[in-house]
Amino acid sequence: MNQTRFAIFGAGFWARCQLAAWREVGGVECVAIYNRSRAKAEAFARDLGVPAVYDDAEKLLREVKPDFVDNITEIGGHMPLSLLCAKHRIPCICQKPMAASLKDAREMVAAFAKAKTAFFVHENWRWQTPMRALIDTLRSGVIGTPFRARFTMISGFDVWANQPALRELPQFILTDLGTHILDTARACFGEARSLYCQLHRTLAPDVKGDNVATLLLSMGEAKTSVVIELGYAKTPLERESFPQTLAFVEGPLGSIEVTGDYWLRVTTKKGTQSRRHAPPRYAWADPRYDISQSSMVPCHRDLLAALRGETPGETTGADNLKTLELVFGAYESARRDAVVKF
Ligand code: 89V
């Protein structure tokens, strides 16, 4: 089969491992990179063996005509650079969070629909090994229809060291981490019916936005009560599990627990079955981010199959709008101190 030719927009921390993850999937070839700082794009191309460098994204699209673009820029680049792809009818994968507002995200999805061009969001959390095992176990029906669940990701890890732009976001924890966990919750329990959220900005002095969030949602036909606890703060913790998401789900026939060190435990009347879902170790991945970076491989595999028209793809732009409705609904809920209904 011919290689699918793609271009990368952005040359930062995530672009480097996303390219490595594409190469792990195979059948694709990165033919060009764009970055507004040419020097940064050149360093990227040199280090990772990308043949063409551009500091003008439109010129790249006109000259290279890639089969798709992976837009891995900072949030400010998501809308303008994705819309440029829509204008040239080039399929695009946009980094999460798709946009800084729901209005912008809706405009992006509409532009691709109008251009009859595929548009996806790079949302890898639901592809992490323990999260996928949780999704599959829930779908197997072994604990029945869940009535309550909890997701916890509370960490003192310095996420800002690798991603300094996150310090400046006026809306931080829900756009950065909330997108991931809310998307995973949707994959587990279906669409939200209502949501209540409280936010704090604490124990992270140089960070402009909210960094601690607590949400309560009612999700799916079964109205599952889902509690989500998020925090990037210097709270003294006995155990640091970054970037693992811990979870506990209760159903009429049993419970499922995702604990540290990638364990998933399913308890029914028959007893407890435990299985470890450690992520694969890739030489290119930062060991501190193994669970997150390795999940880019199955995420890309799903996106590539969708780009080739073989499957619908899980994280289309249209699907991801439903995640962003929850993210921005949560900000609205916190601002009004009120429940938001969907
Ligand atoms: O994966 C990400 O989106 C990161 C992290 C979860 C580490 O905050 O920004």
Side-chain angles (χ1 to χ4, degrees):
M1 187 193 272
N2 285 343
Q3 297 277 88
T4 302
R5 299 163 64 254
F6 75 104
I8 287 181
F9 288 179
F13 174 68
W14 292 109
R16 287 180 174 252
C17 45
Q18 268 177 231
L19 174 54
W22 278 119
R23 287 178 171 159
E24 212 65 58
V25 171
V28 289
E29 185 189 355
C30 181
V31 288
I33 175 150
Y34 153 81
N35 198 69
R36 64 186 164 185
S37 145
R38 192 174 179 91
K40 216 170 156 191
E42 273 165 359
F44 184 103
R46 200 174 42 245
D47 294 351
L48 291 133
V50 178
V53 169
Y54 287 82
D55 56 13
D56 178 335
E58 189 148 28
K59 195 162 174 236
L60 180 155
L61 295 183
R62 267 201 311 266
E63 291 183 2
V64 177
K65 295 187 177 52
D67 294 323
F68 74 90
V69 164
D70 197 2
N71 180 2
I72 323 176
T73 53
E74 301 285 6
I75 189 163
H78 292 185
M79 185 176 191
L81 291 166
S82 298
L83 288 181
L84 198 61
C85 294
K87 182 180 151 195
H88 287 264
R89 294 203 155 84
I90 292 180
C92 172
I93 302 167
C94 181
Q95 200 73 351
K96 55 60 68 173
M98 192 198 318
S101 74
L102 196 52
K103 182 176 164 288
D104 287 357
R106 286 186 174 138
E107 204 178 312
M108 290 160 76
V109 172
F112 279 92
K114 195 164 170 223
K116 296 193 170 32
T117 300
F119 180 50
F120 298 94
V121 172
H122 176 99
E123 176 47 79
N124 57 317
W125 222 256
R126 56 165 77 196
W127 294 103
Q128 291 183 2
T129 40
M131 292 297 105
R132 201 32 64 164
L134 172 63
I135 293 167
D136 291 344
T137 308
L138 283 167
R139 289 181 187 169
S140 79
V142 65
I143 67 158
T145 304
F147 52 84
R148 183 163 61 178
R150 183 177 70 236
F151 290 95
T152 304
M153 175 136 176
I154 297 171
S155 169
F157 183 81
D158 187 357
V159 281
W160 305 281
N162 279 323
Q163 300 170 263
L166 295 180
R167 280 187 199 287
E168 305 304 322
L169 292 180
Q171 295 183 319
F172 165 53
I173 194 88
L174 290 168
T175 58
D176 180 61
L177 187 58
T179 40
H180 284 315
I181 311 287
L182 285 162
D183 186 73
T184 305
R186 287 184 50 236
C188 289
F189 306 111
E191 301 309 332
R193 313 164 75 96
S194 70
L195 174 160
Y196 175 64
C197 173
Q198 292 187 349
L199 291 174
H200 293 272
R201 189 165 69 76
T202 186
L203 291 163
D206 306 333
V207 176
K208 295 219 170 101
D210 49 278
N211 63 321
V212 170
T214 311
L215 296 90
L216 171 63
L217 299 100
S218 169
M219 301 189 86
E221 297 280 297
K223 301 186 181 169
T224 309
S225 303
V226 180
V227 176
I228 300 180
E229 303 166 309
L230 307 175
Y232 280 151
K234 296 200 186 324
T235 320
L237 298 171
E238 186 189 354
R239 278 178 300 278
E240 175 58 68
S241 2
F242 179 87
Q244 282 190 77
T245 307
L246 310 180
F248 183 63
V249 186
E250 296 158 84
L253 306 177
S255 62
I256 309 172
E257 192 170 14
V258 180
T259 59
D261 205 27
Y262 320 117
W263 282 97
L264 185 125
R265 301 185 212 282
V266 182
T267 302
T268 62
K269 276 190 186 146
K270 290 187 197 146
T272 299
Q273 288 203 327
S274 304
R275 194 162 155 210
R276 194 162 173 262
H277 296 271
R281 168 97 272 283
Y282 294 112
W284 47 265
D286 179 334
R288 296 168 307 166
Y289 290 80
D290 262 352
I291 182 96
S292 153
Q293 293 182 354
S294 65
S295 69
M296 290 170 184
V297 176
C299 173
H300 287 177
R301 204 171 278 131
D302 181 66
L303 293 170
L304 185 61
L307 283 160
R308 289 179 174 160
E310 295 160 7
T311 58
E314 289 200 17
T315 57
T316 60
D319 182 86
N320 195 260
L321 276 183
K322 294 183 201 145
T323 294
L324 288 192
E325 278 167 13
L326 304 188
V327 170
F328 293 108
Y331 281 116
E332 189 196 326
S333 164
R335 189 170 42 80
R336 292 178 21 221
D337 191 18
V339 173
V340 171
K341 304 247 182 203
F342 298 97

